[in-house]
Each structure stands twice: as structure tokens, then as C-alpha cells.
Amino acid sequence: MRRFVIVGRTAKASADFSLDDLPSSSGRLDVLLRCVRAALLTSHGLRSDVLVYLVLGGSESPRVVRLGGAGLQFVRPDERSLALLVRKALERHAGGAGFVEQKPGLSVADGGLERVLADLGGACAYVLEEGAPDVRASSLGGDDLAFFIGDHLGFDETVRSELARLGALPVSVGPLSLHSDDVVTIVSNELDRRLTRGLSVPDPSPGRS
Amino acid sequence: MRRFVIVGRTAKASADFSLDDLPSSSGRLDVLLRCVRAALLTSHGLRSDVLVYLVLGGSESPRVVRLGGAGLQFVRPDERSLALLVRKALERHAGGAGFVEQKPGLSVADGGLERVLADLGGACAYVLEEGAPDVRASSLGGDDLAFFIGDHLGFDETVRSELARLGALPVSVGPLSLHSDDVVTIVSNELDRRLTRGLSVPDPSPGRS
């Protein structure tokens, strides 16, 4: 399983945003939605082995939206369609313990990052950070991987501390500071290449740490 | 200079599409707009060394929209804003010889792929194709590079022939068939890494062809 956790600092946890002015009215949910496309969709296909968590931390009562490629159907790649998908799920969500399924492959939970951490199981955690060791040279061990990625504002100190406590290993995707969805794309591509080469387990080849 | 040429087979060349139903009403211009974001924007920055050409081939009289990171200002990454930007340029365009500037960094030309080819100068041309040699193992020689990328339908035979006649070298980005904007992101990342390593000229290291 590949898990991408996109931590939104300003994204609203409620459905009261406008599709006609998504960035402003939703607290930049658009940043997170673009990550959904990058993580879940290939050309004319859905990645069945991927889970995406959107942490909506811009409201007093945060929520997490979880989307899984194994359950979802007919996901369209454009932002407006993705916004509609998430808005409907937020509208329907009436609370409950843990993740509550709103439609196949789409669940919502009350709470913030702690909800994601409780859902990770034994996944190996990585955190995307500028200047960290290159993901191409990282072993990325195991078959269950979780990548934590910040939004347009990056992580706040509380999240940083939680990820450090979790033991998330810092990795980077290159020399420039990129949009969150580009980071998802580049990490996905690295994993795709390794799977094809049979390197989903730790890579023992020389030159990789 | 990096040039990304996104060849849209169905994207309308006119401004009569709705922002509220972009994929259907525009002939999938959304596919091309996402490539604009991937090519031009970094986190809180514009790439000044990038040109993007959108070939709008879905109308009887095709057009090409050219966007340059060196001239544009305040480009927002969300699809609706990008659609508005392109729609305004298409509305304003009243014809003319070659590319006509509609605002700084944004020009429109009547015509199809031939307009792009006439604008390339001495750029080295590459065409993204599944199963082609890996971009990571390609020399990508020179400082002026043009990458031709298909839309959700891929290239038609006419375009393939024109690119073959141009001598465009086939490259690929990995084992899966990906969205066009993911391809732009992965190629950009490869180039970013090489520039940092001083490999913008052909890479003479062993193991690269």
C-alpha cells in the first residue's frame, strides 16, 4: 500500500466553499485536490494500491478525508469534479468514531493528524522535506509506505514534532521547492520504477542508502 | 530554454467554453491547463526559462496558445484561473501573422503544430512515448529542449509523422501510462536535477546513452 498524507493548514473542514472560487473560499483545498489526482489516477486508470489522506486543518474542528483507489469509481481528474466529490462527503458526514464511509472508497473522520496516525498500521513513514536525502537514493523499505507532504505553507511545528516522534524519515525529490502534487507525482514515479525493477523491498544495490 | 508542447486533439480553439463544465465544454482543455501549472510553476515561483505551447486541435481552425514564464505574472495554479487566463486570450485574439501577444508572456497563433515547429528555433526535440528509452538514461543535449507530449488520447498519425520528420527523439518517463501533467512534472524534475549537477549539456557519464 502507498499512502500519501497531505497536511492542509488552512483547508476548511466544512462543505461551505464555492466551486466557483475554490482557492479562496475553501482555504486552498485546491492544493490538496490536485494531490488526489496525482496520487490516484494514471492515464485512464485508478491506482488500487493507493490511499490518500487529506488533513483539513483550517477549521476549529479539523477533519480528515480518506480516498482509496481500491474502492472509488469514476474519479474525474479535473479540480471542480474532485472538489464536488469531497464537498459531498463533507456535507454527508455526521460524525462517528474513526473513519466513516460516505461512499465506496471515500471516508471522513473527525480529528486531525492523530486520526491518520491511528490508521497507518505498520506503514513505514517518510516526510517530504527540502534538503533531505534524495528519494532516489533512499531504500523506501517495505510494502506499506506513508509519505507526509505539506501544503503551500509547509508543516507547522506541531506537525513536525509529531512526525519526528513517529520516526518519519525525511526525503526530498530534488533541488527545487515544488507544489505538493508535483511531489506526489515524483514519489509515485520513483515507486513505479522500483516495482517494475522488483525493488519494492529495500534496495540492496551499491550507492543506495 | 525548456519547451513543452502539449498537443490537444480535442481541445477547442475558441473561447466558447464554460468554466463550470470545463472538461466537456472545452474538449478537455483541462488536460492541457494542468500541464501549464506543472511546467511553469514551482512553489511560490514561476519558471522563467520555460515556454509552454498548447496546440488546440479540436476546432476546424486550430490555434496555438504560447505561455512563457519569463513574461507572465501572478499565475494562479488552480484550473479555473488558468482556464480564465486562456479563455481571455482566445477571446482577444483577432488573428495575425504568427504568434500575437495578448498580454505579457501569453501569445496566440492561428494554425496547428506547424506554428510550433516554426517557433522552435534550434531546440532539440523529444517526444514522450510509452516504451521509449528512459528519460533518466537519455543525454538530453543542449540548453534548448522541446518536449512533445500528447493529451488524453495521445498523438494521431499525422502528428507522429511530423515529429518523426523533425527527428524528435522518443523518451519515456517510466513503466506506467501517466497523465500529461505528470509527464511534464517528471521531465522537469529530471532537468532540475541535471542543472544542479551541471549536466545541462550532454551527460558524458558511463551508463547514460
Side-chain angles (χ1 to χ4, degrees):
Chain A
M1 182 68 69
R2 299 180 192 178
R3 304 166 192 258
F4 290 98
V5 185
I6 320 299
V7 183
R9 290 174 66 166
T10 59
K12 273 190 189 175
S14 59
D16 62 334
F17 56 81
S18 163
L19 298 178
D20 296 343
D21 184 19
L22 186 61
S24 303
S25 67
S26 71
R28 298 308 308 277
L29 181 64
D30 61 309
V31 174
L32 281 64
L33 295 174
R34 287 194 289 276
C35 294
V36 172
R37 186 210 59 75
L40 287 179
L41 300 183
T42 59
S43 185
H44 309 290
L46 258 167
R47 292 178 182 269
S48 60
D49 60 338
V50 173
L51 280 176
V52 187
Y53 301 82
L54 307 182
V55 180
L56 309 178
S59 300
E60 203 167 314
S61 300
R63 281 170 166 178
V64 179
V65 176
R66 186 184 65 192
L67 303 101
L72 286 166
Q73 284 188 310
F74 310 117
V75 179
R76 292 169 64 180
D78 63 291
E79 270 170 46
R80 193 179 172 94
S81 296
L82 291 169
L84 203 56
L85 185 74
V86 167
R87 192 170 75 172
K88 278 185 186 167
L90 291 171
E91 265 168 5
R92 283 194 205 115
H93 182 67
F99 283 96
V100 180
E101 189 172 86
Q102 303 300 327
K103 64 179 280 181
L106 209 177
S107 302
V108 180
D110 295 328
L113 188 64
E114 75 281 2
R115 281 287 176 214
V116 180
L117 301 186
D119 201 56
L120 284 188
C124 292
Y126 296 87
V127 53
L128 273 295
E129 271 184 18
E130 289 171 45
D134 191 341
V135 69
R136 287 193 188 179
S138 300
S139 60
L140 304 179
D143 287 333
D144 195 355
L145 307 170
F147 296 89
F148 291 83
I149 298 173
D151 64 2
H152 59 298
L153 300 176
F155 301 115
D156 65 21
E157 280 311 311
T158 309
V159 170
R160 275 186 201 288
S161 301
E162 288 190 68
L163 294 178
R165 201 159 43 236
L166 179 68
L169 294 170
V171 290
S172 72
V173 294
L176 297 187
S177 179
L178 300 177
H179 285 181
S180 310
D181 50 333
D182 287 331
V183 175
V184 171
T185 294
I186 294 164
V187 169
S188 297
N189 183 246
E190 179 62 24
L191 293 172
D192 292 343
R193 288 163 173 274
R194 292 191 190 200
L195 269 178
T196 307
R197 297 202 309 267
L199 297 177
S200 62
V201 292
D203 179 3
S205 65
R208 292 180 183 272
S209 59
Chain B
M1 182 68 71
R2 298 180 193 178
R3 304 167 194 257
F4 291 98
V5 185
I6 321 297
V7 182
R9 290 173 66 166
T10 59
K12 273 190 190 174
S14 59
D16 62 335
F17 56 81
S18 162
L19 298 178
D20 296 343
D21 183 19
L22 186 61
S24 303
S25 67
S26 71
R28 299 306 309 276
L29 180 65
D30 62 308
V31 173
L32 282 63
L33 295 174
R34 287 194 288 277
C35 293
V36 172
R37 185 209 61 74
L40 287 179
L41 300 182
T42 59
S43 185
H44 309 289
L46 257 168
R47 292 178 181 271
S48 61
D49 60 339
V50 173
L51 280 176
V52 187
Y53 300 82
L54 307 182
V55 180
L56 309 178
S59 301
E60 203 167 314
S61 301
R63 282 170 164 178
V64 179
V65 176
R66 186 183 66 193
L67 303 102
L72 286 166
Q73 284 187 310
F74 311 118
V75 178
R76 292 168 64 181
D78 63 292
E79 271 170 44
R80 193 180 173 92
S81 297
L82 291 168
L84 203 56
L85 185 75
V86 167
R87 192 170 75 171
K88 279 185 186 166
L90 291 171
E91 267 169 4
R92 282 194 206 115
H93 182 67
F99 283 96
V100 180
E101 188 172 88
Q102 303 300 330
K103 65 179 280 181
L106 208 176
S107 300
V108 180
D110 294 329
L113 189 64
E114 74 282 1
R115 281 287 176 214
V116 179
L117 301 185
D119 200 57
L120 284 188
C124 293
Y126 297 86
V127 53
L128 273 294
E129 271 184 18
E130 290 170 45
D134 191 341
V135 69
R136 288 194 189 179
S138 300
S139 60
L140 303 179
D143 288 332
D144 196 354
L145 307 170
F147 296 89
F148 291 82
I149 299 172
D151 64 3
H152 58 298
L153 300 177
F155 302 114
D156 65 21
E157 280 311 310
T158 310
V159 169
R160 276 187 201 288
S161 301
E162 288 191 68
L163 294 179
R165 201 161 40 238
L166 180 68
L169 295 170
V171 290
S172 71
V173 293
L176 297 188
S177 179
L178 300 176
H179 285 181
S180 310
D181 51 333
D182 287 332
V183 175
V184 171
T185 295
I186 294 165
V187 169
S188 297
N189 183 247
E190 179 62 25
L191 293 171
D192 292 342
R193 289 163 174 274
R194 293 192 189 198
L195 270 178
T196 308
R197 298 202 307 267
L199 297 177
S200 62
V201 291
D203 179 2
S205 65
R208 293 181 182 273
S209 59

